[in-house]
Amino acid sequence: MSRVAAIDCGTNSIRLLIADTRQTPAGPALEDVLRQMRVVRLGQDVDATGEFAHEALERTFAAIDEYAAMIREHGATRIRFVATSATRDASNRDEFVAGVRTRLGVDPEVVPGDTEAALSFAGATSVAPAAPGTRILVIDLGGGSTEFVLGDANGPVASRSMDMGCVRLTERFWRHDMPTAETIAAARAQVNAVLDEVQETVDFSTVDRIVGVAGTITTLTAAALGLDHYDSSLIHGAEPGIDKLESAIAFMLGSDRETRASLGYMHPGRVDVIAAGALIYGCILERVAGASAGRITTATASEHDILDGIALGLGSGN
């Protein structure tokens, strides 16, 4: 058994998992020691400017300083830091890389989209793997990108990473708290155009089950379940009907900021981007369910995702 620390630095949040890894006949398995999340909005304005904002780097480095102290306290012996969408796009990413190295002693891995997709699939299916003869579509809806990974009991068979996330869409279309019907229609058209591209690689008609990961999807699941606060134990593995999720999505799109901020399950860092994320997830559910000839009527939420995939990789020596 070894103790590892996995860090996932995305466009909106940075998360830490410290876990003990052990080898089993089925491969490495994890036992959580600590999970942490900070919303730092590293990708603030990257879509428009092509570089990290100074204040976004400061927020992120402050969170990394906290994580470094936790890693030392809990005695993790291996660290892997994975940076995703925003870091791929930023022209001043060398400043970010140097800041991470100074604080943690490791370089961040700016992984390509296909690697991000594989890590997401490994994490999402680590607790509930695909049954023989079934195909799972893992949807990792992040701040800057969304990963679509289709796989079965043997692992991924097709994947696509697209620059479509809740932060990007918010910055492009949510100039006001309550956008007009025309703006919503334009955002939906852009998302559907992206889904057209995804379907060139990932065959939605073969999907037997949807598993959604990351904060947008788990928050919408909390809404669909009617929770009054965020409870991971109730959200992880929950499988609400798509009709319930569509109602939650419509609620987010029709609510003003004050209403969203008052929700007990809403993280403060998601208040401004959840509506755009809801629109993206709604378009995905509609497209996949429509392609499934009636097989897909629910969608499962998983609290296990790319972060778990990173830790599992450390446990297997990668």
Side-chain angles (χ1 to χ4, degrees), residues 82-273:
V82 169
T84 52
S85 177
T87 310
R88 288 195 293 266
D89 300 336
S91 61
N92 60 338
R93 70 181 189 178
D94 287 349
E95 182 180 353
F96 171 71
V97 170
V100 173
R101 185 188 303 125
T102 297
R103 289 163 171 83
L104 291 173
V106 299
D107 284 351
E109 299 175 49
V110 184
V111 300
D114 56 351
T115 301
E116 186 176 354
L119 289 169
S120 295
F121 188 84
T125 60
S126 61
V127 175
T134 65
R135 284 193 166 184
I136 292 177
L137 177 65
V138 172
I139 300 164
D140 185 346
L141 202 172
S145 66
T146 299
E147 280 62 55
F148 301 79
V149 196
L150 182 64
D152 55 24
N154 297 315
V157 297
S159 66
R160 191 76 180 261
S161 176
M162 303 298 292
D163 285 339
M164 172 185 71
C166 60
V167 174
R168 283 189 199 269
L169 207 69
T170 298
E171 291 181 351
R172 290 176 184 177
F173 292 99
W174 263 255
R175 298 300 181 186
H176 306 284
D177 182 30
M178 298 292 291
T180 65
E182 290 78 11
T183 301
I184 293 290
R188 184 171 281 113
Q190 187 170 108
V191 172
N192 280 318
V194 170
L195 294 178
D196 289 341
E197 291 187 55
V198 173
Q199 286 190 268
E200 294 173 1
T201 306
V202 180
D203 186 355
F204 290 165
S205 70
T206 67
V207 176
D208 298 300
R209 181 184 174 199
I210 296 172
V211 176
V213 303
T216 288
I217 291 175
T218 57
T219 300
L220 290 169
T221 300
L225 295 174
L227 302 184
D228 59 9
H229 66 284
Y230 194 97
D231 188 332
S232 296
S233 67
L234 297 177
I235 294 167
H236 180 58
E239 194 173 357
I242 287 179
D243 57 338
K244 297 288 187 184
L245 288 164
E246 287 174 340
S247 294
I249 288 164
F251 172 74
M252 294 299 173
L253 288 170
S255 298
D256 60 20
R257 190 184 192 284
E258 182 179 358
T259 300
R260 298 192 303 272
S262 71
L263 299 170
Y265 52 77
M266 183 69 65
H267 189 286
R270 299 204 187 282
V271 172
D272 293 326
V273 299

